[in-house]
Amino acid sequence: MESNFFSGLRQITEDCNVLGLPVSELAFSIISAAKKYSDEEIIDVFSRLPNEVAVEIRRQISDYEVTGQYCAVSSAGIADFSGLMRRISQLI
């Protein structure tokens, strides 16, 4: 049975493809969506990602591990994803 996160991943991927966003944006969208899901769902989904997306997520995790901080800047302000990145880095 397909997890809710995997179903959401399909929509995220489709949206990024339609908008022509780079892999780095797709990776960030997947990371930010992970906060809503269980550890098991995160492990399952991240193990099934296309290679180029998995490599980009690992790169972003590596950057987080060096700095200990992971923030995103948007029109809504700055969002701190450091706790989520800590959780993801421990899972994958």
Side-chain angles (χ1 to χ4, degrees):
M1 185 169 139
E2 191 172 275
S3 74
N4 289 333
F5 190 17
F6 195 76
S7 296
L9 173 64
R10 285 186 193 192
Q11 187 62 52
I12 291 168
T13 303
E14 185 177 312
D15 292 346
C16 286
N17 286 337
V18 167
L19 296 171
L21 299 176
V23 172
S24 60
E25 290 293 325
L26 175 56
F28 174 75
S29 296
I30 293 168
I31 289 168
S32 63
K35 68 183 169 220
K36 302 177 198 171
Y37 299 98
S38 70
D39 291 354
E40 293 79 19
E41 287 177 300
I42 291 171
I43 292 167
D44 176 56
V45 166
F46 279 58
S47 70
R48 297 199 269 169
L49 289 172
N51 189 52
E52 66 180 9
V53 177
V55 166
E56 176 60 24
I57 287 175
R58 284 188 181 88
R59 186 195 67 72
Q60 291 185 26
I61 288 171
S62 178
D63 289 349
Y64 157 74
E65 289 173 341
V66 168
T67 65
Q69 228 176 359
Y70 190 87
C71 295
V73 179
S74 72
S75 58
I78 299 174
D80 187 352
F81 288 91
S82 300
L84 176 61
M85 286 301 277
R86 184 179 322 101
R87 178 177 168 219
I88 291 171
S89 69
Q90 293 170 349
L91 294 172
I92 62 170

